[in-house]
Amino acid sequence: MRAISGLWRWRRNPLRRGTDLAEAWVGLLALLLILVVGPVIGSVTGGVAQDALQRSVREQQESRRMVTATVIRKLDRSPLDADPEAASGREVRSRVVADWTAPDGTPHKGTVMAALQTPHRGDHFSLWTDLHGRIAARPLDSATATTHAVLAGTGAALLTAGLIEGGRRLAVWRMVRRRYARWDQAWDRAGPDWGRTGTGS
């Protein structure tokens, strides 16, 4: 936006300095880079993230299975906590000892979190495992992977815009410093008599 507000610096004006024109060009270049390079980098980053995440989705869906587990007993004083992977984030889970059969047919038994508020012996619940029956996290779904990819692309575009704006500010800061240094030199050359021109002293 500074580039647009600084368009007056291109107009012919006896008070316009060379640095004013340079600042205007730097601002315009930064604006063009933000509008062109930022979206390109965001799109490329999002595309790469999407490919990687969708590949991970396919791998997880191939290597994980949902099996049915049976409650053997509820553990005393089992902690109740929310399932972070549940859609609402408020699904109550209880700690139980259960047994299940792995996709490869081997029997397993262990302590797991069951999506049951008051589990009783013989209750059934679903459980994610790998192909050998070891407990595994729920596989990533395609929609969540796409959301993460969009966020990665948006973040990359915003970071690029921030870096370009930071570069513009640094360039303008250096120009202003040089301008002030030239003003100091001009004041030094004028000397202490600058206000008494024509007095003959």
Side-chain angles (χ1 to χ4, degrees):
M1 299 316 296
R2 286 180 180 267
I4 294 172
S5 64
L7 288 175
W8 66 269
R9 297 176 186 195
W10 279 300
R11 293 184 308 178
R12 292 198 179 276
N13 185 329
L15 298 177
R16 185 187 73 187
R17 299 165 295 214
T19 55
D20 291 333
L21 191 58
E23 282 181 37
W25 279 110
V26 167
L28 179 63
L29 179 62
L31 179 64
L32 291 176
L33 287 174
I34 288 171
L35 293 177
V36 175
V37 175
V40 168
I41 289 179
S43 176
V44 169
T45 302
V48 170
Q50 174 77 337
D51 291 343
L53 288 168
Q54 292 299 336
R55 187 167 48 252
S56 179
V57 166
R58 287 190 297 275
E59 290 170 359
Q60 288 183 16
Q61 289 177 347
E62 289 171 4
S63 65
R64 298 178 190 179
R65 297 288 185 272
M66 183 179 282
V67 299
T68 300
T70 305
V71 175
I72 296 174
R73 65 184 167 89
K74 176 182 177 181
L75 293 178
D76 292 336
R77 300 181 181 216
S78 60
L80 295 179
D81 56 10
D83 178 9
E85 297 177 1
S88 67
R90 292 197 173 95
E91 183 181 334
V92 176
R93 297 175 69 87
S94 303
R95 203 162 155 253
V96 299
V97 175
D99 61 6
W100 63 92
T101 303
D104 63 4
T106 58
H108 289 269
K109 177 180 177 181
T111 301
V112 296
M113 299 300 290
L116 302 169
Q117 186 167 0
T118 54
H120 300 288
R121 181 179 177 82
D123 287 349
H124 299 289
F125 62 96
S126 296
L127 186 67
W128 285 100
T129 70
D130 64 12
L131 297 178
H132 302 292
R134 292 184 294 265
I135 303 296
R138 178 182 301 163
L140 184 66
D141 62 89
S142 183
T144 303
T146 299
T147 301
H148 288 308
V150 169
L151 290 174
T154 302
L158 291 174
L159 179 61
T160 301
L163 290 174
I164 292 170
E165 174 61 12
R168 184 199 70 78
R169 287 176 184 253
L170 180 62
V172 170
W173 177 76
R174 292 186 62 148
M175 285 184 214
V176 170
R177 291 272 307 234
R178 281 199 296 269
R179 182 188 306 153
Y180 288 160
R182 283 198 296 273
W183 283 353
D184 287 341
Q185 291 169 0
W187 281 111
D188 289 342
R189 281 195 303 270
D193 294 337
W194 66 270
R196 293 182 280 168
T197 305
T199 60
S201 56

